[in-house]
Amino acid sequence: MTPVATSELPKYSVLLPTYNERRNLPIITYLLHESFTSLAVPWELIIVDDASPDDTQTVAKQLIKAYGSEHILLKPRAGKLGLGTAYRHGLQFATGSFVIIMDADLSHHPKFIKDMIRVQKQADYDIVTGTRYIKNAGVYGWDLKRKLVSRGANLVSATVLRPNVSDVTGSFRLYKKDILQQVIEKTESKGYTFQMEMMVRARVMGCRIAEVPITFVDRVYGDSKLESSEVAEYALGVLSLWLKV
C-alpha cells in the first residue's frame, strides 16, 4: 500500500488560551507533539497568551525554538479579554482544516485527540466534543461542591435548551474550521457561558455533533476556582439563550 503523503492529510490546529501557565505549557506541548507524531498528521499549536505575568510567553518562545515555528505559534494579547475573544484571536492564525480547543492546565489529556479524530472520520461529523458524563468518562480532583455545580449546570441547560450533548460546559472539542468560524460569529458570550452557547448555537445551525468520553483531571499547577459570580452568569446566560433561540 502506498503511504499517504503528509501534504494530503488534514492538518489539525490546536488553540490554547493561556494565563500564568509557565509550568504547564512545556508539558502540554510535549504531550501534543507525542500524540500528533504517533498519528502521523500535520499539526500546529497556537498559543494565545493574555499578558501572563509569570513569563508564560518566554517559555512559549523557548518552545518555538525546540519544536519549530511550523508547529508552535505565539499570538499574545494585551491582557485578559475573555475566553471567547481568545478563540476568535487564535482562529485567524489557524491554517488547519480542523481546529481543536482545549485547556492548557493539563485537565485535558491529548491522548483523547486520537479518539476525536477517529470518531470524526466515521461519519464526517462537524464537531466532536469530549464529555465527562457518559460511560468510560469521569472527573478527578474536584470536591463534591464543584461536581454538583457542573452537573447542575449541564442539567439546567439540557432541560431548558436541549443542546443534545451531555457536557455543554466542557472545553475539549474538535471542530471543522469553517464550522467553528460560523459558530463563533453567532456566539455572544465571552465568559463561563461561552462553551455552553457554542453547543446550543451549533445545534440550532444543524451541525452534526458526536461525543467522546474523556477523563478530566483538575489542574496540576496553579489555582482553579469557580466564583459565585460565574454561577450567576451561567444561569443568566441560559435564560438569555432560551429567549433568543
Side-chain angles (χ1 to χ4, degrees), residues 39-84:
L39 291 167
V41 295
W43 65 282
E44 64 184 2
L45 170 61
I46 301 167
I47 301 166
V48 180
D49 185 71
D50 281 359
S52 297
D54 74 338
D55 290 328
T56 294
Q57 290 186 33
T58 300
V59 172
K61 291 173 183 176
Q62 294 171 346
L63 293 171
I64 293 172
K65 293 179 181 179
Y67 293 96
S69 58
E70 72 276 15
H71 288 307
I72 312 296
L73 293 83
L74 173 61
K75 299 299 178 182
R77 303 194 297 171
K80 295 187 73 174
L81 302 173
L83 183 62

Side-chain angles (χ1 to χ4, degrees), residues 158-216:
T159 302
V160 176
L161 301 171
R162 300 182 181 179
N164 298 329
V165 293
S166 62
D167 191 353
V168 295
T169 59
S171 54
F172 192 6
R173 297 173 183 160
L174 181 153
Y175 290 84
K176 289 181 178 178
K177 182 182 176 182
D178 60 328
I179 294 296
L180 179 57
Q181 289 172 325
Q182 294 174 46
V183 173
I184 279 185
E185 286 175 3
K186 295 179 180 294
T187 301
E188 301 172 2
S189 303
K190 295 181 181 180
Y192 186 63
T193 59
F194 181 79
Q195 301 294 358
M196 177 268 293
E197 183 176 348
M198 290 266 283
M199 284 293 94
V200 174
R201 297 287 183 185
R203 188 262 300 168
V204 172
M205 289 168 54
C207 295
R208 302 177 67 246
I209 306 172
E211 293 187 307
V212 166
I214 64 166
T215 301
F216 178 96

Side-chain angles (χ1 to χ4, degrees), residues 16-245:
L16 199 70
T18 60
Y19 187 77
N20 286 348
E21 299 291 358
R22 177 178 59 85
R23 289 185 290 181
N24 291 321
L25 189 56
I27 303 172
I28 194 69
T29 301
Y30 169 77
L31 293 173
L32 285 166
H33 173 265
E34 291 296 297
S35 295
F36 286 119
T37 299
S38 67
L39 291 167
V41 295
W43 65 282
E44 64 184 2
L45 170 61
I46 301 167
I47 301 166
V48 180
D49 185 71
D50 281 359
S52 297
D54 74 338
D55 290 328
T56 294
Q57 290 186 33
T58 300
V59 172
K61 291 173 183 176
Q62 294 171 346
L63 293 171
I64 293 172
K65 293 179 181 179
Y67 293 96
S69 58
E70 72 276 15
H71 288 307
I72 312 296
L73 293 83
L74 173 61
K75 299 299 178 182
R77 303 194 297 171
K80 295 187 73 174
L81 302 173
L83 183 62
T85 58
Y87 289 140
R88 289 186 178 93
H89 179 73
L91 187 57
Q92 64 185 315
F93 303 103
T95 60
S97 51
F98 293 92
V99 176
I100 295 167
I101 63 172
M102 63 190 303
D103 294 344
D105 61 7
L106 303 179
S107 57
H108 299 147
H109 199 295
K111 68 182 180 181
F112 296 109
I113 289 175
K114 69 178 185 300
D115 297 326
M116 291 179 168
I117 293 175
R118 173 181 53 80
V119 169
Q120 190 282 324
K121 290 179 178 178
Q122 288 176 352
D124 194 29
Y125 287 106
D126 297 314
I127 304 169
V128 178
T129 181
T131 175
R132 299 162 287 183
Y133 301 125
I134 60 175
K135 184 179 179 181
N136 297 324
V139 176
Y140 297 91
W142 277 1
D143 58 22
L144 180 60
K145 177 182 176 182
R146 187 69 187 266
K147 289 181 179 179
L148 289 174
V149 168
S150 179
R151 279 287 199 175
N154 278 282
L155 178 60
V156 168
S157 61
T159 302
V160 176
L161 301 171
R162 300 182 181 179
N164 298 329
V165 293
S166 62
D167 191 353
V168 295
T169 59
S171 54
F172 192 6
R173 297 173 183 160
L174 181 153
Y175 290 84
K176 289 181 178 178
K177 182 182 176 182
D178 60 328
I179 294 296
L180 179 57
Q181 289 172 325
Q182 294 174 46
V183 173
I184 279 185
E185 286 175 3
K186 295 179 180 294
T187 301
E188 301 172 2
S189 303
K190 295 181 181 180
Y192 186 63
T193 59
F194 181 79
Q195 301 294 358
M196 177 268 293
E197 183 176 348
M198 290 266 283
M199 284 293 94
V200 174
R201 297 287 183 185
R203 188 262 300 168
V204 172
M205 289 168 54
C207 295
R208 302 177 67 246
I209 306 172
E211 293 187 307
V212 166
I214 64 166
T215 301
F216 178 96
V217 180
D218 199 16
R219 65 163 50 244
V220 176
Y221 297 114
D223 297 323
S224 179
K225 296 180 180 179
L226 180 64
E227 303 293 342
S228 57
S229 60
E230 291 179 314
V231 176
E233 176 193 341
Y234 185 87
L236 289 173
V238 170
L239 177 60
S240 177
L241 264 182
W242 179 72
L243 294 171
K244 292 176 182 178
V245 301

